[in-house]
Amino acid sequence: MNTRIVVTGTDTDIGKTVFAAGLTSLLGASYWKPVQAGLGGESDSETVMRLGDVLPGRILAEAWRLNTPASPHHAAAIDGVTIIPEELNVPEVDGPLVIEGSGGVLVPLTRTATFADIFARWELPVVLCARTRLGTINHTLLSLEALRARNVPVLGVAFIGGAEPETESIVCEIGRTRKLGRLPMLDPLTPAALRQVFTAAFSADDF
């Protein structure tokens, strides 16, 4: 299986990396975070390796590692790094690959290119992670429109948080997409808990 899936979100800090860890584990995939902005603590790659029980050999090196925790275009400027979007190409791996974007769909990679623009060039299916709390309807529908405006194929929405049936329903109805599942907030958040909940909430066949 050579599945390639992009995981993106409606915003930053919504649980996208936790979802990516669960998906990587579910599919037995490799994981790639093209741009890591912020190196003050555990990186997203390290989080996925830990929570997903992913072997180090299946964690691919980032294309750019930026010190500053900010939008990549701004972090790169502060760090004195030049990001060249045309050089950001999907690596070849054996088996499935989960690719995690940075922040939301329209986060700038450079002053002229957003992550949605990169996804469009890759032509890979995208999973949109969305919170279930107040405000998510607007953010999620706008994100879906931004992806579709660039002809990015959308697999569906993965909700994160407590159950909000009406919110989840209207997002998928107006957004003309499907609900892939919902990942509740876990406390404690452990590899075993994530694996158990993720396999109950999501089906590998949907990816």
Side-chain angles (χ1 to χ4, degrees):
M1 184 167 61
N2 291 314
T3 302
R4 304 289 188 269
I5 295 173
V6 173
V7 174
T8 188
T10 58
D11 203 347
T12 192
D13 292 331
I14 63 170
K16 184 171 77 273
T17 299
V18 175
F19 173 84
L23 183 61
T24 300
S25 177
L26 181 71
L27 300 180
S30 297
Y31 169 87
W32 184 44
K33 175 85 172 186
V35 182
Q36 175 69 53
L39 301 176
E42 185 177 58
S43 70
D44 290 343
S45 293
E46 291 166 339
T47 297
V48 168
M49 184 166 60
R50 175 175 59 84
L51 288 178
D53 276 334
V54 180
L55 294 174
R58 291 199 282 121
I59 301 293
L60 308 185
E62 300 92 337
W64 283 282
R65 289 172 58 87
L66 306 169
N67 290 308
T68 305
S71 172
H73 85 286
H74 189 42
I78 293 172
D79 290 0
V81 173
T82 299
I83 294 178
I84 304 173
E86 294 76 18
E87 294 184 359
L88 201 58
N89 297 310
V90 178
E92 292 294 330
V93 298
D94 292 328
L97 175 64
V98 172
I99 304 168
E100 183 185 352
S102 297
V105 168
L106 292 181
V107 163
L109 177 62
T110 67
R111 300 196 77 85
T112 58
T114 67
F115 273 88
D117 297 324
I118 303 302
F119 302 156
R121 178 164 62 83
W122 288 345
E123 299 182 328
L124 295 178
V126 166
V127 173
L128 180 64
C129 293
R131 282 182 283 220
T132 57
R133 73 186 192 190
L134 188 65
T136 196
I137 296 174
N138 179 67
H139 292 169
T140 307
L141 294 179
L142 285 173
S143 297
L144 288 169
E145 286 199 9
L147 291 169
R148 293 211 171 99
R150 293 163 173 79
N151 295 314
V152 177
V154 178
L155 276 176
V157 176
F159 291 98
I160 299 173
E164 294 289 348
E166 176 56 29
T167 293
E168 297 164 38
S169 174
I170 197 65
V171 162
C172 293
E173 182 179 336
I174 295 179
R176 306 185 313 281
T177 191
R178 60 177 174 159
K179 173 184 172 180
L180 296 169
R182 180 182 60 83
L183 179 64
M185 304 303 289
L186 300 176
D187 186 14
L189 177 55
T190 65
L194 178 60
R195 182 167 51 252
Q196 179 180 7
V197 171
F198 203 93
T199 54
F202 297 93
S203 170
D205 292 338
D206 288 334
F207 301 97

